[in-house]
Amino acid sequence: MPSDPIILAFDTSAAHCAAALLHGDTIVASRVEPMSRGQAERLMPLLEEILAEADCTWRDLTAIGVGIGPGNFTGIRISVSAARGLALGLGIPAVGVTGFDALAEIGDGIPAIRAPREQVYVALPGQDPALMAQEQAESLGNLILNDDADVLVNALARLTAQRWSTTTQPPAPLYVRPADAAPSKDSPPVLLDG
């Protein structure tokens, strides 16, 4: 086991594309680009820029850390699939970190992640994560709400550094609720026998 792991962490679970590179105990590069669309096209170039900024290559990496949600359904799928593909191709572990764990790393209280329509995802001790009105969640106690994606992706990298050597399962999305996309109104394609 290397004594000085190099961790590349990233997250696209909200309206951003965020990445951080941790070498040992030090964040050597970090970047957040706000965006509500386009994370799939921007993620890999952003990761390459982060590596180049720190004078690292893909082969230097010890592990990949990825934000697994909760958050934007499509954004979570983009990050998790990228992390799994990179880990497989590089032969290194990928570690999934929930937004709740990243928040707990930076503050005290009940981890809460903003959701649409004045709601939040919350993680109460000993319970499954839930979606509730922010006002209702605030009545439960001190919420850890942090909208700074840079702080969160740095926490994600630090947690990955703690967990990578014991991770055995590939990361999987954390969905608190089902996707809210409407079913397609298009007719299914005609299949040709051939």
Side-chain angles (χ1 to χ4, degrees):
M1 177 175 0
S3 60
D4 224 7
I6 300 175
I7 307 294
L8 178 63
F10 50 91
D11 178 66
T12 59
S13 65
H16 62 251
C17 201
L21 187 68
L22 178 76
H23 188 185
D25 294 329
T26 305
I27 299 289
V28 294
S30 181
R31 187 170 311 151
V32 174
E33 294 183 8
M35 59 180 61
S36 58
R37 298 178 156 248
Q39 290 96 332
E41 293 81 10
R42 184 65 186 123
L43 180 60
M44 294 309 289
L46 177 68
L47 298 180
E48 289 181 345
E49 291 166 13
I50 290 284
L51 289 172
E53 184 178 323
D55 200 26
C56 284
T57 68
W58 293 104
R59 289 283 167 204
D60 294 329
L61 298 177
T62 307
I64 301 286
V66 63
I68 61 169
N72 177 286
F73 182 81
T74 302
I76 295 168
R77 292 180 60 162
I78 290 166
S79 285
V80 170
S81 61
R84 290 177 71 145
L86 286 168
L88 182 64
L90 297 170
I92 60 176
V95 178
V97 177
T98 70
F100 300 128
D101 288 347
L103 286 168
E105 184 74 4
I106 62 172
D108 292 322
I110 301 168
I113 298 169
R114 292 188 203 283
R117 297 178 280 287
E118 297 183 30
Q119 296 181 308
V120 291
Y121 300 104
V122 295
L124 297 170
Q127 297 181 25
D128 289 336
L131 178 66
M132 63 180 64
Q134 184 169 340
E135 187 175 306
Q136 177 188 1
E138 288 170 347
S139 72
L140 301 173
N142 179 43
L143 298 183
I144 309 168
L145 281 165
N146 187 316
D147 297 320
D148 187 338
D150 192 53
V151 170
L152 294 173
V153 78
N154 290 340
L156 195 155
R158 293 183 200 295
L159 287 169
T160 300
Q162 295 170 17
R163 299 174 179 176
W164 73 269
S165 65
T166 58
T167 296
T168 58
Q169 296 295 317
L174 171 63
Y175 300 128
V176 175
R177 61 183 179 85
D180 58 2
S184 174
K185 293 179 181 175
D186 296 336
S187 301
V190 176
L191 299 178
L192 302 175
D193 293 330

